Amino acid sequence: MEKKPHFVRREFLPREVSSISLALLLVAVLLLNVLLYLYLNKFYNSLGHTETDPSLCPFGHFKLGSVKNCSPWLSCEAINREVRKLKCVGEGAVKKVFLSEWKENKVVLSQLTNLELKEDFLHGLKMLKALQSKHVVLLLGYCEQQFTILTEYHPLGSLRGLNETLHIPKYKSMNTWHHRLMLAIDYVSVIYYLHSSPLGTLVMCDSNDLDKVLSQYLLTSDFHILVNDLDALPLVNRSAGRLVKCGHRKLQGEFVAPEQRWPYGEDVPFEDDLMPPYDEKTDIWKIPDVSNFLLGHVEGSDIVRLHLFDIHAACKKKDPAERPSAREVLDTYRKVLTLLVREAAMPGTREML
């Protein structure tokens, strides 16, 4: 009797299924890494990973809002004729700040209030002119004779109001560990820019407590950070043996770096001439405190702090020479962002592999 041919159904072995799944997973991880690279590359550039901004105008010019053409900085005559004060929005030891209007644009007019501090005012203007970049508030014009400076207006104000801003319904979606870490990266990017500026290594001296530091920076409407107040920005030049001292009075508290505090004890009266100078590593000491504020207390922020623990511990070394540079801190922050974005995009990937 003739035997009928048998058609045998071939079943995939578990090992074959496992191999295919692994291959698909590896392809997915590869595609994810490509997307992450493109995203982070775009993100770093927006933060100033390249310190020059091709959209900036030539020196002595500015571009405001959606206007395509660059205009020269406004002169004394133009400011007096074209700028209209609206209201006073702030006053410090050096200057008074007015919300103003120029050609239907909101702008900020700053005026010296104390002639004894005119050198500080003019130093701030000099820094503002020389350091124009994506890290610094946009200069629109100035008048040295009348001690006035005109800059771009940012309605969200200084970093002091960050938490209040993030409770506004319009901005609640930004109140995440991801956006807060990007703000911290922005902040360290500014410090790195100042430490490697075209003028040399500059120290952010107006920073004796957290509130004062936050008042020196602006929050833009697209959630970036700009440095705004450059009145106290001395230069460190190690090769010439030039260090700095932030002011001429006794500094106290844990916020300022150890080398900024009077080293001779309470029994010895403070004398400015006896106070040793220091360098830019005072800015590094303060980074963890500022970042802790920026990270806030949202879901995931403690995980970010855990990843930043080692670099922050290094920032708090008592010996300034043992602290990392601003570039090293910035690189670490960026690596942590990359790692956490990858893990958030594909949770459990490591365990699957």
Side-chain angles (χ1 to χ4, degrees):
M1 187 174 180
E2 186 179 353
K3 291 184 178 181
K4 294 181 179 179
H6 292 280
F7 294 94
V8 180
R9 182 188 300 169
R10 185 181 175 190
E11 301 288 347
F12 283 107
L13 296 175
R15 183 176 297 174
E16 292 174 306
V17 174
S18 178
S19 299
I20 291 173
S21 299
L22 182 60
L24 290 173
L25 179 60
L26 289 172
V27 170
V29 171
L30 180 62
L31 289 173
L32 176 65
N33 284 332
V34 171
L35 291 173
L36 279 173
Y37 171 79
L38 294 173
Y39 164 74
L40 292 169
N41 185 59
K42 180 180 179 181
F43 166 67
Y44 291 157
N45 285 337
S46 75
L47 289 180
H49 190 61
T50 53
E51 299 302 336
T52 56
D53 185 355
S55 68
L56 290 175
C57 295
F59 182 80
H61 295 71
F62 69 92
K63 199 163 43 172
L64 188 62
S66 58
V67 177
K68 293 184 178 180
N69 297 325
C70 294
S71 302
W73 285 335
L74 300 185
S75 63
C76 296
E77 181 185 357
I79 291 174
N80 291 332
R81 184 180 67 249
E82 301 172 12
V83 176
R84 181 169 66 95
K85 290 181 185 177
L86 299 178
K87 62 177 180 178
C88 179
V89 292
E91 184 173 2
V94 178
K95 52 186 177 286
K96 186 178 284 190
V97 180
F98 297 89
L99 174 63
S100 305
E101 192 174 54
W102 175 72
K103 294 187 176 179
E104 299 183 353
N105 293 292
K106 294 271 196 321
V107 293
V108 173
L109 186 70
S110 301
Q111 291 187 317
L112 178 68
T113 55
N114 185 349
L115 281 175
E116 292 181 1
L117 298 174
K118 68 179 182 179
E119 294 304 320
D120 292 338
F121 184 89
L122 293 175
H123 177 75
L125 173 59
K126 177 185 175 182
M127 295 293 104
L128 196 53
K129 289 160 62 178
L131 298 175
Q132 283 295 287
S133 72
K134 62 178 65 182
H135 303 292
V136 178
V137 69
L138 183 64
L139 177 64
L140 308 179
Y142 62 93
C143 179
E144 286 194 34
Q145 295 94 315
Q146 297 174 6
F147 299 105
T148 58
I149 300 173
L150 193 70
T151 54
E152 186 177 13
Y153 171 64
H154 293 279
L156 296 183
S158 79
L159 272 183
R160 284 189 297 191
L162 174 63
N163 290 325
E164 289 75 11
T165 296
L166 289 171
H167 281 98
I168 298 172
K170 179 180 178 181
Y171 297 108
K172 277 189 175 180
S173 63
M174 308 294 281
N175 195 18
T176 64
W177 70 262
H178 183 219
H179 287 101
R180 282 177 170 272
L181 177 55
M182 289 198 292
L183 286 178
I185 292 175
D186 251 359
Y187 166 69
V188 179
S189 296
V190 173
I191 298 299
Y192 171 57
Y193 175 67
L194 294 178
H195 288 187
S196 56
S197 83
L199 301 177
T201 302
L202 299 168
V203 182
M204 195 68 179
C205 259
D206 221 350
S207 57
N208 298 333
D209 57 65
L210 179 60
D211 195 60
K212 187 63 175 175
V213 171
L214 298 174
S215 71
Q216 310 300 305
Y217 296 87
L218 294 172
L219 180 64
T220 68
S221 297
D222 60 349
F223 267 66
H224 284 282
I225 290 176
L226 299 173
V227 63
N228 180 52
D229 196 329
L230 303 174
D231 293 346
L233 210 61
L235 179 69
V236 169
N237 188 338
R238 283 194 188 83
S239 59
R242 181 178 177 182
L243 300 177
V244 304
K245 286 192 285 188
C246 291
H248 304 286
R249 61 185 179 86
K250 186 177 181 179
L251 301 180
Q252 302 181 72
E254 291 299 315
F255 187 81
V256 296
E259 63 272 21
Q260 292 184 279
R261 302 170 208 157
W262 179 243
Y264 304 116
E266 294 295 330
D267 295 333
V268 180
F270 177 81
E271 288 187 43
D272 186 41
D273 291 340
L274 298 179
M275 181 66 199
Y278 34 83
D279 62 18
E280 77 280 3
K281 291 297 183 74
T282 58
D283 289 335
I284 304 300
W285 170 272
K286 298 161 188 172
I287 286 176
D289 299 283
V290 179
S291 289
N292 187 54
F293 169 83
L294 294 175
L295 290 173
H297 298 283
V298 296
E299 183 180 354
S301 62
D302 286 342
I303 300 297
V304 178
R305 287 185 178 89
L306 185 63
H307 281 82
L308 295 175
F309 180 84
D310 288 342
I311 192 68
H312 283 173
C315 291
K316 291 294 188 179
K317 294 281 190 182
K318 188 172 182 179
D319 182 356
E322 295 181 6
R323 294 175 207 152
S325 65
R327 179 57 186 268
E328 290 170 320
V329 178
L330 182 57
D331 287 346
T332 301
Y333 273 43
R334 286 171 170 167
K335 287 174 184 175
V336 168
L337 175 65
T338 303
L339 173 66
L340 293 178
V341 168
R342 181 184 292 122
E343 289 184 351
M346 289 196 71
T349 301
R350 187 178 302 167
E351 288 79 3
M352 293 171 70
L353 290 173

